[in-house]
Amino acid sequence: MNGGGGGSGSGGGGSGPVKTPTDFLKLIRGRPVVVKLNSGVDYRGILACLDGYMNIAMEQTEEYVNGQLKNKYGDAFIRGNNVLYISTSKRTLADGCDVVEWIINYIEIYAQICFVFVFFFNKGEVVKAQFKLRSSR
Amino acid sequence: MASEEESTVKEPLDLIRLSLDERIYVKLRSDRELRGKLHAYDQHLNMILGDVEEIITSVEIDDETYEEIVRTTRRTVPFLFVRGDGVILVSPPLRTA
């Protein structure tokens, strides 16, 4: 069994120092990642799980060849020997997420003035948003 | 988005176990793809597939025009043993949504 090449990736999230590659692997489950293969093909998706051989299971995977989106897979299993690296990324669910963040920031300003924005969360994700007029005192 | 966190799934190989007896898509080295029914697999990703369609993609560059010609070759095999070291990716079949 080959010991995973050294160097822990971005330990993101600030949940303590990442000491070994194994710690990194435990940390990144559930996060959007970029997986680059030896062949140069890129896969971006949400990491479901992985093991010590760097076999990877991902969800909502997109395949990029030469920077171009080629395929989308609902679930994907990648054999570890093909993996060059696994890296965390901010993205995956699209620029939609950045847009949402922008909107939220923008709305916060208005909310303080005249209305209240109510976000409904489910499992840490916003599933619904509605606004109510701030009730007058 | 249903991120299925089943307590029994700990390893990526467990996720393949869920696909047993289902049709799957396999990406192989040398620009080959397979679609077939997964009958068996092991930790090396050796697999037994049934009713398999193999697609081989080749790109030729014309010497004069330098244009890329993409060709695909298909064949069907009723029963196939796949050696694991050639496997790149395994997935449920691509859905044209």
Side-chain angles (χ1 to χ4, degrees):
Chain A
M1 177 164 20
N2 47 341
S8 43
S10 53
S15 11
V18 176
K19 287 192 183 148
T20 68
T22 316
D23 291 333
F24 174 71
L25 296 183
K26 287 179 195 166
L27 219 97
I28 60 172
R29 286 187 186 200
R31 298 211 183 161
V33 292
V34 180
V35 178
K36 194 167 185 81
L37 302 193
N38 295 329
S39 58
V41 179
D42 230 325
Y43 291 90
R44 290 168 192 254
I46 300 170
L47 187 73
C49 54
L50 76 167
D51 62 17
Y53 295 101
M54 281 178 100
N55 293 327
I56 291 168
M58 290 168 66
E59 296 170 359
Q60 294 164 35
T61 309
E62 294 173 347
E63 177 182 84
Y64 290 85
V65 181
N66 295 329
Q68 289 183 330
L69 179 62
K70 289 274 175 158
N71 273 315
K72 292 187 185 183
Y73 305 100
D75 293 304
F77 172 98
I78 300 175
R79 198 173 189 270
N81 68 306
N82 298 298
V83 174
L84 182 66
Y85 67 70
I86 306 168
S87 168
T88 49
S89 78
K90 273 201 135 179
R91 171 259 151 212
T92 303
L93 290 180
D95 306 327
C97 275
D98 297 333
V99 173
V100 169
E101 210 174 337
W102 180 87
I103 290 177
I104 288 175
N105 290 336
Y106 196 73
I107 285 167
E108 269 184 335
I109 301 165
Y110 271 79
Q112 285 159 23
I113 303 170
C114 49
F115 58 80
V116 179
F117 233 81
V118 182
F119 290 95
F120 294 81
F121 286 85
N122 183 14
K123 293 183 186 172
E125 287 182 2
V126 177
V127 297
K128 184 171 130 182
Q130 66 183 54
F131 75 90
K132 318 196 283 193
L133 290 175
R134 196 178 270 254
S135 54
S136 51
R137 279 168 274 111
Chain B
M1 316 308 151
S3 54
E4 310 154 290
E5 305 238 327
E6 300 159 272
S7 54
T8 50
V9 173
K10 287 179 188 148
E11 284 192 339
L13 284 171
D14 291 336
L15 279 170
I16 298 196
R17 176 162 50 85
L18 299 175
S19 299
L20 273 174
D21 281 333
E22 307 274 348
R23 292 200 68 85
I24 56 168
Y25 164 84
V26 183
K27 197 174 205 284
L28 301 175
R29 289 179 187 251
S30 308
D31 296 318
R32 287 167 194 253
E33 298 158 63
L34 298 172
R35 285 173 203 276
K37 188 175 180 190
L38 180 65
H39 288 285
Y41 74 99
D42 66 8
Q43 71 272 25
H44 304 290
L45 252 53
N46 296 327
M47 290 185 281
I48 306 276
L49 298 176
D51 292 326
V52 187
E53 187 195 20
E54 178 191 33
I55 302 168
I56 308 165
T57 305
S58 55
V59 181
E60 290 178 9
I61 300 183
D62 193 317
D63 284 339
E64 293 160 22
T65 66
Y66 291 102
E67 62 175 300
E68 291 184 352
I69 310 164
V70 181
R71 289 213 183 93
T72 63
T73 315
R74 289 168 196 253
R75 67 166 175 158
T76 50
V77 179
F79 214 62
L80 185 70
F81 174 91
V82 182
R83 190 176 154 87
D85 61 9
V87 173
I88 297 177
L89 177 147
V90 179
S91 176
L94 297 166
R95 299 208 166 92
T96 52

